[in-house]
Amino acid sequence: MKKGNLLNINPSEAQIKDTLRVLQKRLAEPGMKKPINRPVREGYEEAVNILVEDRRTYEGIDLDTVQSRSIAVLAVDYLNGECEKKFLVGVGLK
Protein backbone atom coordinates (compact mmCIF):
# COMPACT_ATOMS: atom_id res chain seq x y z
CA MET A 1 0.00 0.00 0.00
CA LYS A 2 1.43 3.36 -0.97
CA LYS A 3 0.58 6.71 0.61
CA GLY A 4 2.05 9.68 -1.22
CA ASN A 5 5.73 9.01 -1.68
CA LEU A 6 6.00 6.77 1.37
CA LEU A 7 5.64 3.05 1.59
CA ASN A 8 3.39 2.12 4.48
CA ILE A 9 5.92 -0.18 6.16
CA ASN A 10 6.15 -0.21 9.94
CA PRO A 11 9.68 0.16 11.33
CA SER A 12 11.38 -2.88 12.81
CA GLU A 13 12.27 -3.10 16.51
CA ALA A 14 15.90 -2.36 15.61
CA GLN A 15 14.84 0.72 13.64
CA ILE A 16 12.70 1.93 16.54
CA LYS A 17 15.60 1.46 18.97
CA ASP A 18 17.87 3.41 16.65
CA THR A 19 15.30 6.19 16.35
CA LEU A 20 15.00 6.32 20.15
CA ARG A 21 18.79 6.65 20.37
CA VAL A 22 18.72 9.53 17.88
CA LEU A 23 15.88 11.27 19.73
CA GLN A 24 17.70 10.96 23.05
CA LYS A 25 20.83 12.39 21.42
CA ARG A 26 18.75 15.29 20.07
CA LEU A 27 17.31 15.92 23.54
CA ALA A 28 20.87 16.22 24.89
CA GLU A 29 21.77 18.99 22.42
CA PRO A 30 22.63 22.26 24.21
CA GLY A 31 20.05 24.20 22.18
CA MET A 32 17.23 22.15 23.68
CA LYS A 33 17.72 24.01 26.97
CA LYS A 34 16.81 27.36 25.43
CA PRO A 35 13.31 28.53 26.34
CA ILE A 36 12.52 29.22 22.68
CA ASN A 37 13.04 25.50 21.93
CA ARG A 38 10.70 24.28 24.68
CA PRO A 39 8.07 23.08 22.16
CA VAL A 40 10.65 20.95 20.34
CA ARG A 41 11.98 19.53 23.62
CA GLU A 42 8.47 18.70 24.87
CA GLY A 43 7.53 17.16 21.52
CA TYR A 44 10.63 14.97 21.50
CA GLU A 45 10.07 13.93 25.12
CA GLU A 46 6.55 12.81 24.19
CA ALA A 47 7.88 11.15 21.01
CA VAL A 48 10.27 9.08 23.15
CA ASN A 49 7.35 8.02 25.37
CA ILE A 50 5.26 7.13 22.32
CA LEU A 51 8.00 4.96 20.85
CA VAL A 52 8.80 3.26 24.18
CA GLU A 53 5.10 2.58 24.84
CA ASP A 54 4.44 1.58 21.20
CA ARG A 55 1.45 3.93 21.02
CA ARG A 56 -0.13 3.69 17.58
CA THR A 57 -2.92 6.26 18.00
CA TYR A 58 -3.04 9.97 18.74
CA GLU A 59 -5.01 9.36 21.92
CA GLY A 60 -3.33 10.87 24.95
CA ILE A 61 -1.30 13.48 23.07
CA ASP A 62 -2.00 16.52 25.22
CA LEU A 63 0.71 19.11 24.72
CA ASP A 64 0.53 22.90 24.93
CA THR A 65 1.87 23.98 21.56
CA VAL A 66 1.15 23.13 17.95
CA GLN A 67 4.81 22.31 17.35
CA SER A 68 5.10 19.90 20.30
CA ARG A 69 1.84 18.16 19.32
CA SER A 70 3.02 17.94 15.71
CA ILE A 71 6.23 16.20 16.75
CA ALA A 72 4.28 13.72 18.87
CA VAL A 73 1.93 13.04 15.95
CA LEU A 74 4.97 12.39 13.74
CA ALA A 75 6.10 9.75 16.26
CA VAL A 76 2.76 7.94 15.97
CA ASP A 77 2.88 8.24 12.19
CA TYR A 78 6.44 6.86 12.22
CA LEU A 79 5.35 3.77 14.18
CA ASN A 80 2.50 3.25 11.71
CA GLY A 81 4.83 3.49 8.73
CA GLU A 82 3.37 6.80 7.56
CA CYS A 83 6.36 9.05 8.32
CA GLU A 84 10.02 8.61 7.54
CA LYS A 85 12.50 8.74 10.40
CA LYS A 86 14.25 11.77 8.92
CA PHE A 87 11.14 13.93 9.38
CA LEU A 88 10.69 12.87 13.00
CA VAL A 89 14.29 13.38 14.08
CA GLY A 90 15.04 16.40 11.90
CA VAL A 91 13.01 19.16 13.53
CA GLY A 92 15.21 22.24 13.67
CA LEU A 93 16.07 24.33 16.69
CA LYS A 94 16.05 28.11 16.94
Side-chain angles (χ1 to χ4, degrees):
M1 170 188 279
K2 200 167 188 179
K3 285 191 174 186
N5 293 331
L6 301 175
L7 293 176
N8 193 6
I9 300 172
N10 295 5
S12 68
E13 288 298 317
Q15 290 170 317
I16 293 169
K17 285 182 183 180
D18 182 62
T19 302
L20 278 166
R21 182 188 57 75
V22 173
L23 290 177
Q24 289 165 337
K25 188 175 180 180
R26 290 290 324 267
L27 282 166
E29 291 177 12
M32 286 289 182
K33 294 178 183 174
K34 293 180 180 179
I36 197 166
N37 291 318
R38 182 182 60 84
V40 178
R41 184 181 65 248
E42 289 176 350
Y44 275 151
E45 289 169 347
E46 184 67 9
V48 166
N49 292 335
I50 288 167
L51 269 59
V52 167
E53 297 168 8
D54 193 36
R55 293 179 7 213
R56 308 273 174 155
T57 69
Y58 306 130
E59 188 175 331
I61 295 176
D62 185 26
L63 297 167
D64 294 334
T65 67
V66 171
Q67 188 175 31
S68 60
R69 284 191 307 272
S70 297
I71 293 169
V73 165
L74 286 174
V76 172
D77 290 349
Y78 169 74
L79 285 177
N80 290 319
E82 298 171 357
C83 171
E84 293 180 44
K85 173 184 169 181
K86 67 182 178 181
F87 297 115
L88 174 58
V89 302
V91 177
L93 298 177
K94 296 178 184 171

